[in-house]
């Protein structure tokens, strides 16, 4: 058997896309993230060939997840606050976009892996104050041929 990487890498990309799609459909079927209420401490949304908008104004935000395949997911967290030091949003994007709006008092850290994609951080990072703990939102996950936009 001859190993030809030119044949294998597209198959790996397709397999990854199918796994993201299957995982998103399974989450929707079993109701992952629960119903989205304006005061829910967790946000979660999946968009496949569509656009979804959600958000929360909870005072105890914990994180969430977003899956976008040929679509867009938009979270508005500007009226939310955290009681924990750090919250995470896990994103999986294939040919799509995720936009997250956060309060100006939050520090946003991107840890998402990108392949032929981009992360556009338009947030205004708060000035460090040793007397005040700055809430931190960490963005994790993977983006392929898509984008993440972070803004206040």
């Amino acid at each position: 058997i001859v190993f030809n990487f030119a044949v294998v890498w597209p198959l790996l990309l397709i397999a990854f896309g199918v796994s993201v799609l299957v995982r998103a459909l399974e989450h929707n079927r079993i109701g992952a993230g629960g119903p989205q209420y304006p005061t829910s401490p967790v946000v979660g949304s999946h968009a496949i060939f569509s656009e979804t908008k959600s958000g929360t104004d909870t005072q105890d935000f914990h994180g969430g997840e977003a899956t976008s395949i040929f679509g867009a997911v938009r979270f508005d967290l500007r009226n939310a606050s955290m009681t924990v030091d750090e919250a995470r949003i896990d994103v999986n994007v294939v040919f799509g976009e995720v936009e997250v709006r956060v309060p100006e008092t939050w520090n946003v850290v991107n840890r998402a892996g990108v392949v032929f994609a981009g992360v556009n951080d338009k947030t205004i990072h708060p000035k460090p104050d040793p007397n005040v703990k700055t809430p931190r939102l960490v963005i994790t996950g993977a983006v392929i041929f898509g984008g993440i936009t972070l803004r206040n």
Side-chain angles (χ1 to χ4, degrees):
I1 295 179
V2 177
F3 180 77
N4 186 354
F5 189 72
V7 174
V8 174
W9 80 265
L11 295 176
L12 292 174
L13 186 63
I14 291 169
F16 175 76
V18 169
S19 71
V20 169
L21 179 63
V22 168
R23 189 168 67 166
L25 293 175
E26 285 177 356
H27 282 293
N28 281 340
R29 184 177 33 206
I30 61 174
Q36 295 302 304
Y37 298 108
T39 58
S40 174
V42 177
V43 292
S45 196
H46 307 291
I48 301 172
F49 292 103
S50 63
E51 177 182 13
T52 62
K53 296 179 182 180
S54 66
T56 184
D57 58 4
T58 183
Q59 301 307 302
D60 189 24
F61 182 73
H62 288 123
E65 69 177 0
T67 302
S68 175
I69 301 171
F70 291 98
V73 174
R74 304 190 193 291
F75 290 141
D76 188 351
L77 308 174
R78 290 177 291 181
N79 295 321
S81 63
M82 285 188 234
T83 56
V84 294
D85 293 338
E86 180 177 291
R88 292 180 184 270
I89 295 180
D90 184 48
V91 299
N92 290 297
V93 180
V94 179
F95 291 101
E97 176 190 10
V98 171
E99 177 184 278
V100 182
R101 292 180 175 260
V102 300
E104 291 183 5
T105 58
W106 290 10
N107 190 18
V108 181
V109 178
N110 173 45
R111 292 195 185 138
V114 296
V115 176
F116 296 112
V119 176
N120 193 358
D121 186 354
K122 296 181 178 181
T123 59
I124 300 168
H125 294 278
K127 293 184 168 92
D129 184 355
N131 300 324
V132 177
K133 271 201 163 181
T134 304
R136 182 168 50 172
L137 179 65
V138 179
I139 306 296
T140 60
V143 184
I144 299 175
F145 294 106
I148 299 174
T149 302
L150 308 167
R151 63 179 80 213
N152 296 113

